[in-house]
Amino acid sequence: MPRIYNTIIIGAGAAGMMCAAHTGGQTLVIDHAKNPGEKIRISGGGRCNFTNIHTEASNFISQNPHFAKSALKSYTQHDFIAHVERHNIAYHEKTLGQLFCDNSAKQIIQLLQKDMQNADAHLQLETRITEISKTESGFQLTLEKHGKNEILTCRNVVVACGGKSIPKMGATGFGYQIAEQFGHTLTDIRPALVPLTFDGDILETAKTLAGVAIDAKVTTDKTSFNEALLFTHRGLSGPAILQISSYWREKQPIEVALLPSHDCLDLLRRERTRSGKRAIHKVLAEFLPKSIAAQIAKRTQLTGNLADQSDAKLQRLAAAINHWKLYPIGTEGYRTAEVTLGGVDTDGLLSKTMQSKSVPGLYFIGEVVDVTGWLGGYNFQWAWSSGYAAGTAIASDITTAPR
Ligand code: FDA
């Protein structure tokens, strides 16, 4: 006799565990990893940036910018914060509304595991799913664990297996395969929240400055982020670059402003009048890290003192500082991307419940869906909100008429 569950959740990550805690019981969560919540464990440098107090739908990228609104409203950042407080997990705001655990990301995993136990949801690890098929009343799944196969049946399947980012941590893209098997379309997927790579002179500059960080404004097309930028041996990283990577497309430039809060030309003219008998890099070093100032002076090939520079030359210098146009050659890819942009097309899903419009009982939650948050705790909030939406919908379905 096959084991029978009301709900089988594929993926014991943030979204899957959150969902399991709300399905109303008879739930099994399956994961091929050795431990649940591996991405939670490593997130936020081991402290998990578990939400953002400013979360709203505009912090998410999706072909349908309205899709996330319903789930985000039914389980908000304040709901998750209250939950964290109930579990006495100490936390702090780091910057820009980003909330981190004071101690360890493991506390968030423990919270979710406790919730699952309380909800009588079971966890089965190191298990692969080799087949899923639709039956009259639900689904049949074939599992494989340590070489042994088993068949399970259930009414609902929740796909919570995340995206393709960081394959070393168990990301497979399996969720996209299931979506296609059941006739769902996918939007284009690509690595996001990922460092950008360069070649030529820019790469040489980045290598020279590797390890130097600066608060900058980075723009592509009409989108800008004001956050830290970090030079690396491969190109550019840091929050401002990770954010812009979700919007950047091949062959497009990005524009970097290294002194975003200054009108640079105005500043340089004033400095020329105030004390122009100083070398350019020395003047720049008053406003920028010394190594960056030296690189800018080198890049513009302007020599001599500030007083020797015409307005046109100062304009060139100002542009090199605040309109630095760069052409990335690519990204570091899924190996280091924090998330996968795109996913299961939201056109095929009900926004209140995350249920498939065409296959009753099939749900998609978390990163596998075409809803991608900015850097700063938004992606976990999407995992909590979408997991809750699907879980509570399943729980309320238990008490209504059978399908
Ligand atoms: P998630 O990837 O968490 O879980 C999917 C689960 O499915 C995994 O347990 C995986 O093993 C399992 N799985 C995959 N394929 C399977 C298969 N074929 N069979 C069975 N199981 C399978 N976000 C944020 O808001 N704040 C932060 O601080 C960070 N920090 C961060 C750091 C790093 C290094 C990364 C890579 C990512 C982040 N993120 C983040 C993003 C965040 O981790 C991510 O958006 C969520 O974990 C997504 O939750 P899901 O549950 O959808 O997928």
Side-chain angles (χ1 to χ4, degrees), residues 88 99-101 156 177 205 211 214 230 236 238 247 250 252 258 279 295 305 345 347 374 378 385 401-402:
N88 296 317
L99 302 189
F100 287 75
C101 298
N156 307 294
Q177 210 177 303
T205 303
I214 182 170
L230 174 72
L236 298 179
Y247 292 87
E250 280 68 19
Q252 272 182 10
L258 295 167
Q295 279 297 321
N305 291 336
D345 193 336
D347 267 3
W374 288 359
Y378 300 102
S385 297

Side-chain angles (χ1 to χ4, degrees), residues 22-295:
H22 293 91
T23 47
Q26 298 173 58
T27 294
L28 178 69
V29 186
I30 295 166
D31 203 296
H32 64 172
K34 277 199 173 129
N35 298 297
E38 279 294 87
K39 278 199 187 158
I40 300 174
R41 185 178 59 78
I42 60 153
S43 67
R47 293 232 159 93
C48 185
N49 176 195
F50 57 81
T51 192
N52 192 299
I53 48 179
H54 305 305
T55 303
E56 45 184 74
S58 58
N59 304 119
F60 295 84
I61 305 166
S62 170
Q63 270 188 13
N64 177 356
H66 303 291
F67 181 81
K69 284 181 182 168
S70 172
L72 290 173
K73 210 167 139 193
S74 66
Y75 191 88
T76 70
Q77 61 272 36
H78 307 294
D79 292 322
F80 196 75
I81 295 165
H83 195 43
V84 163
E85 287 174 356
R86 274 196 298 276
H87 282 254
N88 296 317
I89 298 175
Y91 65 91
H92 59 279
E93 179 184 348
K94 200 168 172 189
T95 176
L96 303 169
Q98 302 168 6
L99 302 189
F100 287 75
C101 298
D102 284 358
N103 299 311
S104 168
K106 287 185 192 155
Q107 292 175 287
I108 300 292
I109 303 174
Q110 283 157 5
L111 171 156
L112 293 165
Q113 284 189 282
K114 231 182 249 171
D115 288 350
M116 280 171 54
Q117 275 162 16
N118 291 341
D120 200 25
H122 303 270
L123 179 61
Q124 185 169 325
L125 298 166
E126 297 180 271
T127 301
R128 271 184 346 112
I129 291 148
T130 54
E131 214 179 312
I132 304 182
S133 57
K134 186 87 186 76
T135 62
E136 215 167 281
S137 57
F139 300 85
Q140 179 173 297
L141 285 81
T142 309
L143 312 186
E144 191 260 330
K145 182 169 180 161
H146 304 321
K148 279 195 188 142
N149 288 332
E150 187 188 2
I151 290 176
L152 268 64
T153 63
C154 58
R155 250 168 79 88
N156 307 294
V157 164
V158 182
V159 180
C161 36
K164 282 191 165 180
S165 32
I166 324 250
K168 234 169 59 187
M169 299 209 64
T172 57
F174 185 50
Y176 307 128
Q177 210 177 303
I178 301 173
E180 286 188 317
Q181 179 192 335
F182 287 101
H184 279 264
T185 52
L186 304 177
T187 64
D188 285 345
I189 60 163
R190 55 184 286 128
L193 299 183
V194 61
L196 296 175
T197 55
F198 295 84
D199 59 5
D201 289 350
I202 305 299
L203 178 59
E204 289 315 308
T205 303
K207 279 182 180 169
T208 310
L209 296 173
V212 178
I214 182 170
D215 282 336
K217 179 179 174 186
V218 183
T219 305
T220 194
D221 202 9
K222 291 188 182 81
T223 306
S224 298
F225 289 94
N226 274 290
E227 287 189 59
L229 174 153
L230 174 72
F231 292 90
T232 74
H233 286 285
R234 288 197 191 86
L236 298 179
S237 186
I241 293 294
L242 300 188
Q243 298 279 32
I244 213 71
S245 72
S246 300
Y247 292 87
W248 174 78
R249 294 294 176 271
E250 280 68 19
K251 298 201 169 88
Q252 272 182 10
I254 60 167
E255 189 176 281
V256 176
L258 295 167
L259 279 177
S261 52
H262 287 84
D263 176 332
C264 253
L265 181 60
D266 195 46
L267 177 84
L268 292 169
R269 275 192 186 132
R270 270 192 283 118
E271 289 301 312
R272 187 176 57 183
T273 312
R274 194 171 68 87
S275 62
K277 286 193 178 143
R278 288 174 299 158
I280 290 174
H281 68 274
K282 289 218 165 123
V283 178
L284 297 184
E286 283 183 25
F287 304 94
L288 294 160
K290 218 167 151 186
S291 51
I292 295 182
Q295 279 297 321

